[in-house]
Amino acid sequence: CGSSMPHQTIHLFRKGLRLHDNPTLLAALKSSEVVYPVYILDRDFLTSAVKMGIVRWHFLLQCLEDLQSNLKKLNSCLWIIQGEYEAVLREHVQKWNISQVTLDNEIEPFYKQMERTIQDMGKEMGFEVFSLVGHTLYDVSRIVELNKGIAPLTYKRFLHILTLLGDPEMPVQDVAAENAQKLSPLPEEGLDEQYRLPLPEDLGISKEYLSPWRGGETAGLLRLKEHLKNQGWVAKFKKPRTIPNSLLPSTTGLSPYFSFGCLSVRTFFYRLSKIYAQSKNHSLPPVSLQGQLLWREFFYTVASSTPNFTKMVGNPICLQIKWYQDAEKLHKWKTVFEELLLDADYSVNAGNWMWLSASAFFHQYTRIFCPVRFGKRTDPEGRYIRLAIVQMCYFSFALGKDYPFPMVNHKEASTHNLQLMKQVREEQLKTAQLTRDDTDDPMETRLKREHSEETEQKGKLARNSEQV
C-alpha cells in the first residue's frame, strides 16, 4: 500500500470496529513503521449521516470501549478524538508526522464524501490514502461493473453476477500479538483526557441502557459462537418461518454487530459454509442464513449506485407516491422508531422500507398484513406485548389514557391505500418493472408452495369422498 518506504500511518476507524478480518488495518500494519488506531467522534457528522437514538449511542460507546480494551491487550490503544473530522485529522497528521491514512472503503454517500475530502487533504498535505473493502462480502463496484455498469435490480440477476465472481474472498488473519508490533504503543502515563472514551453524560444522553444487546467485537463473536453451536437450526433456517414478535430472537440477532462492523460478514459466511458442508440437507438462498447475507449484499450493491437511495424523491427505482402528511402521527412513529432502532443501516433499512411499502423490489402489494390478526396468530397469549408493556401485567389500564388508541382504522386505511397503490402502479408501470422479479420474494415462494399443497390435499379429500 503506497510507497516502499515504511509509513507513519493513521488507521481511521469508521465502521469496521474489530480486529478480526480487518483487511485495511492488516495492510496498514504491513506497510508501516507505526500505526495509530484512531476513531474521530464527530457528533455533527454522525447525527447528520445516520439515525442516532439513545440505544445506538450506547451501543457505539460499548463498541469503542471493547475495541479500546482489545487494543490495550496488544499494548496499544484506540485514540478517540472528539471534534470535526477534517480539523482533527489535519491536527494529528502534523502532530504525528503522518505519511498515510488508511480507512475502509464504504458505499454510503456521506462516507464517500468524507473519503474524497481526506484524499484532497492528502494531496495538499502530502500523505497517501489507502482503502480496502471490509464491510461487505464482495467489492460491490465489481458487481456493478460486471452488470454493464449498472446495479442489478433483481435478486435473480444479482445472484447470476455472483456466479461470475465466485465465492467471496476468505477472511484475513486477525490482528493479534504476532502481527501487532507496529501499533502505536500505549503511552506510559496513560491517555490524555482529550483521547479518553466519553461517558454517556458527556454526550448529553441518559446513562440508562435497557437493551439486551451489548456492543463490541467480543460480545458479537460470543453471540455468533453460541448461535453456531446449534448446527441443526443453522442448516434448517428459513427466513419466512421466523417470528418477529417472539420473546427471544428467532433470527441470529447479529444485525447490530454487522451494522457497526463489530462482526465480519465474511467470517460469518464461511463459518456457515463449514456447517452446510457437514449437513446432508440444508436450506438455500434466498431463505437460508447465507441467503440473508446475500440480501444484505444485494441492497448494498443497489444502494452504491442509486442516487437518493434512502429517499423517495429523486430515487429512480422508487415509485413516487403522494403520501399524506400528518405531522403528529409521523412524530409518534419517529419517536419510537428512531430512538429505539439499534441496527440502523443505510442500505438495508432503505431497501427493506421500499420493499415493505411496495415502492420497489416487492410487487404483491395486494397482500396486506393486519397487525391485529397477525399478532393473534403469532402471539396468541400476548406474551410479547406483556413484556413490552409491563404495566399491562400488573395493573388495569384505560385505552386512550394509559395506552394509546390505534393511530389509524386499519380496515379503512388499508382499503384506501390499496386503491391508491393500484393507481400509482398503473401510472408508473415502467418504474415498477425495474425491480420486478417474483422469484425474488421468499414469502411469495412459500405462499405458492402452501397453495400447491393445499390444492393437493383438497384433491385427496375429494377422491376419498368419491370412494366413500
Side-chain angles (χ1 to χ4, degrees):
C1 69
S3 65
S4 58
M5 293 292 290
H7 284 290
Q8 299 274 117
T9 297
I10 284 177
H11 176 72
L12 189 59
F13 285 96
R14 297 187 292 181
K15 292 184 283 186
L17 302 175
R18 63 179 189 270
L19 299 183
H20 75 279
D21 188 31
N22 193 322
T24 312
L25 177 57
L26 193 65
L29 290 169
K30 291 178 179 178
S31 69
S32 305
E33 184 178 359
V34 63
V35 175
Y36 292 87
V38 170
Y39 184 88
I40 301 177
L41 187 54
D42 184 341
R43 283 187 267 177
D44 289 340
F45 174 83
L46 272 177
T47 53
S48 66
V50 294
K51 304 299 183 186
M52 291 294 293
I54 292 175
V55 293
R56 192 166 170 84
W57 271 117
H58 275 277
F59 195 89
L60 172 60
L61 293 178
Q62 290 165 2
C63 291
L64 297 177
E65 180 183 16
D66 184 66
L67 184 56
Q68 178 72 281
S69 174
N70 290 337
L71 283 166
K72 283 184 176 179
K73 292 174 185 176
L74 300 173
N75 195 35
S76 184
C77 61
L78 179 65
W79 303 83
I80 301 169
I81 314 170
Q82 295 193 60
E84 192 271 326
Y85 77 87
E86 188 174 354
V88 167
L89 200 55
R90 282 182 179 276
E91 177 187 348
H92 287 80
V93 163
Q94 293 175 333
K95 181 177 180 178
W96 292 332
N97 195 26
I98 294 301
S99 61
Q100 177 179 252
V101 172
T102 59
L103 67 169
D104 279 353
N105 189 336
E106 306 290 359
I107 65 97
E108 294 87 347
F110 42 88
Y111 280 133
K112 284 182 176 179
Q113 180 57 53
M114 176 189 279
E115 188 165 349
R116 285 192 292 269
T117 299
I118 293 173
Q119 287 171 341
D120 289 342
M121 195 190 311
K123 292 175 184 176
E124 174 195 337
M125 300 182 71
F127 63 82
E128 298 177 12
V129 180
F130 178 79
S131 64
L132 289 172
V133 173
H135 198 64
T136 49
L137 292 171
Y138 297 88
D139 179 348
V140 297
S141 66
R142 282 285 294 136
I143 299 175
V144 172
E145 180 184 333
L146 288 174
N147 196 48
K148 300 180 180 178
I150 58 173
L153 296 179
T154 69
Y155 191 69
K156 183 178 180 180
R157 178 64 184 170
F158 170 75
L159 292 181
H160 170 71
I161 299 298
L162 294 193
T163 62
L164 305 179
L165 282 172
D167 290 336
E169 290 186 16
M170 295 288 291
V172 299
Q173 181 184 10
D174 297 350
V175 174
E178 58 270 20
N179 56 21
Q181 294 88 348
K182 302 296 180 63
L183 289 172
S184 61
L186 179 67
E188 290 183 8
E189 65 278 9
L191 286 171
D192 291 342
E193 181 73 11
Q194 74 177 104
Y195 299 118
R196 72 170 177 84
L197 177 72
L199 300 171
E201 49 265 42
D202 296 332
L203 303 177
I205 62 175
S206 169
K207 292 189 291 185
E208 190 175 20
Y209 180 69
L210 301 177
S211 172
W213 274 263
R214 176 158 186 87
E217 178 181 22
T218 303
L221 287 171
L222 179 60
R223 184 178 283 268
L224 175 63
K225 180 180 178 182
E226 290 300 312
H227 273 293
L228 296 186
K229 284 180 180 178
N230 189 348
Q231 296 193 9
W233 177 84
V234 169
K236 294 178 182 178
F237 178 92
K238 292 185 178 180
K239 176 62 175 176
R241 294 181 182 175
T242 57
I243 303 172
N245 53 358
S246 56
L247 292 182
L248 296 174
S250 58
T251 57
T252 62
L254 295 174
S255 56
Y257 302 96
F258 292 133
S259 176
F260 283 87
C262 306
L263 271 182
S264 156
V265 289
R266 296 191 304 191
T267 296
F268 187 34
F269 183 91
Y270 278 104
R271 290 191 186 180
L272 289 174
S273 293
K274 287 183 179 180
I275 293 174
Y276 292 159
Q278 297 167 7
S279 175
K280 292 182 179 179
N281 296 298
H282 62 82
S283 55
L284 298 170
V287 297
S288 64
L289 281 172
Q290 275 193 346
Q292 302 313 297
L293 290 180
L294 294 178
W295 273 115
R296 176 183 185 271
E297 201 80 2
F298 170 64
F299 284 137
Y300 266 76
T301 303
V302 179
S304 71
S305 60
T306 301
N308 302 302
F309 187 72
T310 60
K311 297 178 174 60
M312 179 186 75
V313 177
N315 183 341
I317 67 171
C318 182
L319 292 176
Q320 302 299 299
I321 300 171
K322 293 181 180 179
W323 302 102
Y324 72 90
Q325 302 293 318
D326 189 314
E328 181 183 356
K329 289 177 180 177
L330 181 61
H331 175 72
K332 289 178 179 178
W333 176 81
K334 289 178 69 176
T335 299
V336 176
F337 181 79
E338 292 185 0
E339 283 298 312
L340 300 182
L341 183 65
L342 182 57
D343 59 350
D345 185 293
Y346 175 90
S347 304
V348 177
N349 286 136
N352 277 323
W353 277 119
M354 281 188 275
W355 183 293
L356 291 168
S357 64
S359 300
F361 305 115
F362 177 72
H363 302 275
Q364 304 302 320
Y365 69 97
T366 57
R367 193 173 74 230
I368 298 173
F369 283 105
C370 172
V372 177
R373 288 199 300 271
F374 182 78
K376 287 182 177 179
R377 177 167 61 84
T378 57
D379 184 26
E381 297 179 8
R383 293 179 179 177
Y384 181 82
I385 293 294
R386 284 183 170 84
L387 179 68
I389 309 169
V390 179
Q391 63 266 32
M392 291 179 66
C393 299
Y394 305 104
F395 308 105
S396 60
F397 68 99
L399 189 62
K401 179 182 177 183
D402 303 303
Y403 187 75
F405 286 113
M407 289 175 62
V408 297
N409 180 309
H410 183 262
K411 184 175 181 181
E412 292 177 1
S414 60
T415 300
H416 178 65
N417 287 341
L418 189 61
Q419 294 172 346
L420 293 178
M421 183 61 83
K422 182 179 180 181
Q423 179 182 340
V424 167
R425 297 184 72 84
E426 289 174 351
E427 293 173 351
Q428 301 178 44
L429 182 62
K430 187 175 180 179
T431 300
Q433 294 298 326
L434 288 174
T435 61
R436 186 178 183 89
D437 187 345
D438 290 340
T439 59
D440 284 353
D441 182 13
M443 285 294 292
E444 191 64 21
T445 303
R446 189 184 75 167
L447 288 172
K448 287 178 180 178
R449 185 182 66 248
E450 290 176 350
H451 176 72
S452 175
E453 293 172 352
E454 182 180 349
T455 303
E456 183 180 348
Q457 184 64 24
K458 286 180 179 179
K460 288 180 180 178
L461 290 173
R463 289 193 294 273
N464 290 340
S465 176
E466 290 172 0
Q467 290 173 1
V468 172

